[in-house]
Amino acid sequence: MMSNFCARYLGSVLLLWFTSISCLSWAQKAKPSEYQVKAAYLSNFGRFVEWPAEVTAGDAPFYVCVLGQDSFGPFLDAALSGEKIGRATLLPKRLSRVEDGADCRLLFISASEDTRLAPILAGVGKSVLTVSDMPGFSQRGGMIQFVVEGNRVRFEINLAAAQHAGLILGSDLLKVATAVRRGL
Amino acid sequence: MAGGLVVIRKVQKRSIKQQLIRMNMLVSGAALLVACGAVLTYEVAAFRQTMVRGLSIQAQIVGANSVSALLFEDPESATKTLSALSAAPNILSGGIYTADGEEFATYFRVRPEALPQPVLAGDRVESHRFADGELRLVRRIIFQGKQIGTVYIRSDLREQASRIFRYLVILAGVLLLSLLSAFVLSHRFQRTIAQPLVGLAAVARVVSRERKFSVRAVTTTSQDEVAELIEAFNEMLGQIQERDSALQSAREELEQRVAWRTAELETVNKELESFTYSVAHDLRAPLRHIQGFSAALSEEFGAQLSPEGVDYVRRIVNGTRRMGLLINDLLALAHVGRQELHLRRTGLNALAQEVVQDLKEEARDRDIRWETGDLPSANCDPGLMRQVFYNLLSNAVKYTRPRNPAVIEIGQTQVNGEQVIFVRDNGVGFNMKYSAKLFGVFQRLHRVEDFEGTGVGLATVQRIIHKHGGRIWAEAEVDRGAAFFFTLNRVEPF
């Protein structure tokens, strides 16, 4: 099971290298890679979350930020390209420090930031949806944590963390989550 | 052929009553069938629409509940959503497809099957199709303006079939009840139309078969054409009856009048005959005195009389003899009238020959050629018939006196298919102008100085022929001869 996952992971990295130089339409027809799927998820999470009204007011773009090492590469840009949630246009943003993400609506924290997670979560602005694929993320105060089950990308939800940040996660999102934590 | 006749007979035998009921039933049945057909057609169409709407709603619900599953690749969640379709027993299978057309989640009521690739033409959101007893519906799943998948639902039409069956059962019941009530109602209402007509037909049959005009058709209280017809028919019967009785009474009156006249005539005739007889009879006594005393005068005082006196007495004697003959003839004529007919089968040949022999004796000195043909035998009074032949033949002898030789012919011939006996001579004849007078009493066409006679002979002949139911007539030309023809009703062939 574990070796199988490692092989998949390695294959995905190879595929990433390939698709980075091949055309996108071809990539969609083939079996999508893990980060391609994750990028697509990042573009869709926002559709099931309700932000406080003061955040959604105005025509500010919907920034999807990546903190730390960027494993998405062009996939994220492709997934967000031309997409909108309500009136807000989805735009990617890559950060090296959490302080730079004041206008982020969604913050993906790379596994490379595992050791600095506590100060990062403390430094995240209010009403930012936090997502990561580092193990134990949801237990440690993160809102959505990617998990890979078999060859499929799934996610766990920490509903309490989201509520604490003033975000309401839609029941449709909770329905497809593998686990939903309601307490801290 | 025989079967066809039987069928025609059956058709003709159907009474108006049955026809009325049949017509009512057919009309109401046809109307009900058309109405039921329309209702059923509408019901099926409406039900199909309802079914499509219901399936469409289900597809929409499934689609809406599968959005997150599609976006976050959770086919289990989609399968769970689909499995809610099991609440609807009519849904056979369902499927959710990704935007790329790949099968994402499925639902099968009984066992898995291959689902078709859902196809939606152009930009249509939804389409459905009734085929093979199923309803198939495809609907796009659209989330925030973007198609993210497709739903496909397949449903059977069991519900529709059972609904149609229920409808048919109800319609059959309605039809049956309606026809039953139509039958009962038309049975009741036909009486007002058919019953008077049936009665009328029965009366007409009696009238035409038995010639009985005293019957009347039963009238109805209604004011329709049938009542009018019955009234007119009864009126006509009344008129016929009236005319019939008028005719009858007129006929009776006529018969009565004829009988009365006949009796009157007979009485007058009898009176006349008895008068003639008594007069003739009573005249004989004084005549005999005249004769007797004239004879005595000439015997006893003949010598004392001058030649002139002798001549007077001779004239008196001649006159009385002629008067005696007249009286005898009149008595004979009266006798013929009073006498009963004694009919007997008589050979007329022999009768005529007897008379001819007597006349030959009387006219010995004359040259007469007698030509007698065959005569039939007849049912007649022989004495009177002898008189007929004697009178006719003696007339012939008398009026042929200037001829030498005289020719007298007796025979029979056919005139207008009737057997006629004739006596013809080549004598002096007569003018046909006076033929009407020929058979009258005392009627003479010649002077006594030329041909003696009383003028009673032909009257007697006519009376005898009439008594026998026959007719007599004559044809003649002055100086060319005369012919007398007579028929006898009772003449029989040889």
Side-chain angles (χ1 to χ4, degrees):
Chain A
M1 191 70 179
M2 200 57 202
S3 62
N4 190 16
F5 168 70
C6 286
R8 291 253 158 208
Y9 195 77
L10 197 70
S12 299
V13 173
L14 274 172
L15 198 76
L16 185 134
W17 180 74
F18 268 117
T19 50
S20 61
I21 54 170
S22 63
C23 80
L24 264 168
S25 63
W26 180 84
Q28 276 172 346
K29 289 246 167 77
K31 178 78 186 159
S33 70
E34 184 187 328
Y35 274 90
Q36 210 174 347
V37 172
K38 284 178 178 171
Y41 282 17
L42 288 184
S43 72
N44 282 327
F45 280 140
R47 304 180 196 279
F48 298 91
V49 177
E50 212 176 292
W51 271 268
E54 68 264 20
V55 179
T56 52
D59 290 331
F62 188 108
Y63 282 113
V64 176
C65 306
V66 178
L67 180 65
Q69 190 190 335
D70 178 16
S71 306
F72 296 98
F75 291 137
L76 185 65
D77 302 70
L80 301 183
S81 155
E83 294 289 333
K84 275 185 148 188
I85 294 175
R87 278 175 302 162
T89 310
L90 289 181
L91 287 174
K93 196 173 190 178
R94 290 172 177 82
L95 311 170
S96 45
R97 298 182 314 135
V98 71
E99 290 77 18
D100 299 334
D103 52 357
C104 290
R105 293 273 285 278
L106 187 152
L107 178 67
F108 180 81
I109 303 165
S110 174
S112 61
E113 308 303 307
D114 196 344
T115 50
R116 289 184 295 274
L117 182 61
I120 289 173
L121 285 178
V124 169
K126 190 151 169 53
S127 305
V128 176
L129 184 68
T130 53
V131 184
S132 175
D133 52 3
M134 66 178 70
F137 179 66
S138 65
Q139 283 111 311
R140 286 153 71 188
M143 297 175 196
I144 298 175
Q145 178 195 340
F146 285 128
V147 287
V148 176
E149 282 185 354
N151 55 358
R152 284 164 55 201
V153 178
R154 309 301 310 276
F155 51 86
E156 292 177 2
I157 288 176
N158 186 335
L159 195 57
Q163 276 168 346
H164 189 73
L167 302 181
I168 301 166
L169 271 55
S171 65
D172 280 338
L173 190 66
L174 304 182
K175 189 170 71 179
V176 293
T178 52
V180 177
R181 286 171 205 286
R182 286 166 200 280
L184 274 168
Chain B
M1 195 64 194
L5 276 174
V6 165
V7 167
I8 287 165
R9 214 177 153 70
K10 264 185 188 165
V11 168
Q12 285 173 338
K13 271 284 175 193
R14 191 172 291 144
S15 75
I16 191 159
K17 177 175 138 181
Q18 285 167 305
Q19 284 182 52
L20 274 172
I21 292 176
R22 223 170 75 98
M23 190 180 78
N24 275 340
M25 301 280 285
L26 280 177
V27 166
S28 48
L32 277 168
L33 271 180
V34 170
C36 288
V39 166
L40 195 67
T41 308
Y42 170 77
E43 191 56 35
V44 167
F47 182 65
R48 285 192 164 199
Q49 223 167 9
T50 310
M51 242 183 115
V52 169
R53 202 176 305 134
L55 215 61
S56 168
I57 287 165
Q58 273 164 323
Q60 284 175 52
I61 291 168
V62 166
N65 285 331
S66 308
V67 168
S68 59
L70 275 164
L71 287 178
F72 300 108
E73 288 181 29
D74 187 7
E76 283 85 5
S77 169
T79 305
K80 230 166 91 185
T81 303
L82 267 179
S83 69
L85 291 176
S86 66
N90 57 308
I91 292 173
L92 297 170
S93 61
I96 294 173
Y97 300 79
T98 63
D100 298 332
E102 277 170 54
E103 193 175 287
F104 185 68
T106 54
Y107 162 75
F108 303 105
R109 174 156 204 87
V110 187
R111 61 185 132 71
E113 62 192 78
L115 290 180
Q117 190 76 24
V119 180
L120 270 163
D123 54 355
R124 290 180 63 185
V125 174
E126 182 185 295
S127 82
H128 67 265
R129 198 158 75 91
F130 283 96
D132 314 322
E134 291 177 355
L135 169 59
R136 289 161 192 164
L137 186 133
V138 181
R139 190 180 172 90
R140 288 183 209 275
I141 301 171
I142 292 168
F143 180 66
Q144 295 188 350
K146 232 170 91 182
Q147 185 190 350
I148 55 169
T150 312
V151 195
Y152 167 84
I153 299 181
R154 192 163 69 90
S155 166
D156 64 21
L157 302 178
R158 242 183 313 170
E159 207 181 334
Q160 180 189 300
S162 72
R163 192 142 162 180
I164 287 173
F165 178 74
R166 266 206 308 277
Y167 243 88
L168 282 176
V169 168
I170 290 167
L171 287 185
V174 166
L175 202 64
L176 202 75
L177 270 172
S178 305
L179 284 181
L180 204 72
S181 50
F183 181 77
V184 169
L185 284 176
S186 58
H187 210 277
R188 178 161 300 172
F189 285 124
Q190 60 84 17
R191 271 186 222 155
T192 58
I193 297 168
Q195 213 77 344
L197 278 177
V198 167
L200 187 64
V203 170
R205 219 174 294 136
V206 167
V207 167
S208 76
R209 207 174 282 165
E210 300 173 21
R211 303 251 169 271
K212 201 164 134 190
F213 299 107
S214 59
V215 290
R216 291 287 180 275
V218 178
T219 52
T220 59
T221 50
S222 58
Q223 296 287 316
D224 55 5
E225 287 90 338
V226 174
E228 242 172 81
L229 182 68
I230 289 171
E231 207 175 307
F233 182 72
N234 282 343
E235 227 167 84
M236 191 187 71
L237 280 179
Q239 282 170 6
I240 289 174
Q241 211 182 353
E242 248 172 59
R243 205 163 298 175
D244 235 25
S245 64
L247 212 65
Q248 184 69 32
S249 65
R251 195 185 302 142
E252 276 166 12
E253 199 188 302
L254 199 70
E255 274 172 14
Q256 211 170 13
R257 204 179 297 166
V258 166
W260 186 68
R261 282 279 156 83
T262 308
E264 206 175 27
L265 251 159
E266 269 173 10
T267 316
V268 170
N269 232 6
K270 280 228 173 82
E271 275 172 10
L272 200 67
E273 268 166 19
S274 60
F275 172 74
T276 311
Y277 185 79
S278 60
V279 164
H281 194 267
D282 292 351
L283 282 174
R284 266 180 160 175
L287 191 62
R288 223 173 277 130
H289 276 97
I290 297 168
Q291 276 179 322
F293 286 108
S294 310
L297 188 65
S298 96
E299 272 172 28
E300 289 175 25
F301 304 99
Q304 298 169 24
L305 288 173
S306 63
E308 204 175 353
V310 170
D311 185 44
Y312 287 167
V313 172
R314 191 182 52 82
R315 285 190 186 212
I316 290 168
V317 169
N318 276 351
T320 51
R321 202 187 63 236
R322 255 179 58 77
M323 194 169 174
L325 281 174
L326 255 170
I327 287 169
N328 278 347
D329 281 356
L330 270 177
L331 277 174
L333 182 64
H335 187 67
V336 166
R338 293 153 73 100
Q339 203 181 345
E340 292 269 317
L341 278 181
H342 297 290
L343 294 177
R344 203 182 310 151
R345 199 186 152 92
T346 314
L348 296 181
N349 249 342
L351 205 70
Q353 282 307 320
E354 265 177 50
V355 174
V356 168
Q357 283 308 316
D358 288 356
L359 287 173
K360 271 181 181 171
E361 198 65 31
E362 284 176 25
R364 268 190 309 264
D365 52 334
R366 287 188 49 201
D367 182 8
I368 299 174
R369 288 188 195 161
W370 297 90
E371 292 179 3
T372 51
D374 264 334
L375 295 181
S377 59
N379 194 21
C380 61
D381 187 311
L384 291 177
M385 198 46 68
R386 194 176 194 283
Q387 181 90 50
V388 167
F389 277 113
Y390 186 84
N391 286 7
L392 289 177
L393 289 171
S394 61
N395 268 0
V397 169
K398 183 162 63 183
Y399 293 107
T400 54
R401 200 177 296 143
R403 299 285 181 265
N404 196 14
V407 179
I408 299 173
E409 200 185 342
I410 312 163
Q412 64 165 324
T413 181
Q414 295 277 329
V415 176
N416 298 331
E418 210 178 359
Q419 201 164 31
V420 177
I421 295 162
F422 67 87
V423 172
R424 189 181 287 139
D425 62 59
N426 62 343
V428 296
F430 57 87
N431 192 336
M432 281 299 279
K433 211 161 57 174
Y434 308 111
S435 62
K437 288 182 162 186
L438 205 55
F439 298 101
V441 181
F442 303 136
Q443 296 287 346
R444 305 204 66 242
L445 302 184
H446 299 275
R447 295 192 306 158
V448 177
E449 286 76 16
D450 297 337
F451 298 101
E452 75 288 349
T454 55
V456 178
L458 281 179
T460 310
V461 166
Q462 190 189 38
R463 186 165 284 192
I464 293 168
I465 296 297
H466 283 177
K467 274 200 115 164
H468 279 83
R471 290 178 297 118
I472 184 161
W473 69 96
E475 286 171 7
E477 212 176 315
V478 177
D479 286 334
R480 282 274 177 96
F484 288 83
F485 302 88
F486 66 89
T487 65
L488 290 172
N489 246 8
R490 298 178 175 90
V491 171
E492 288 169 10
F494 294 111

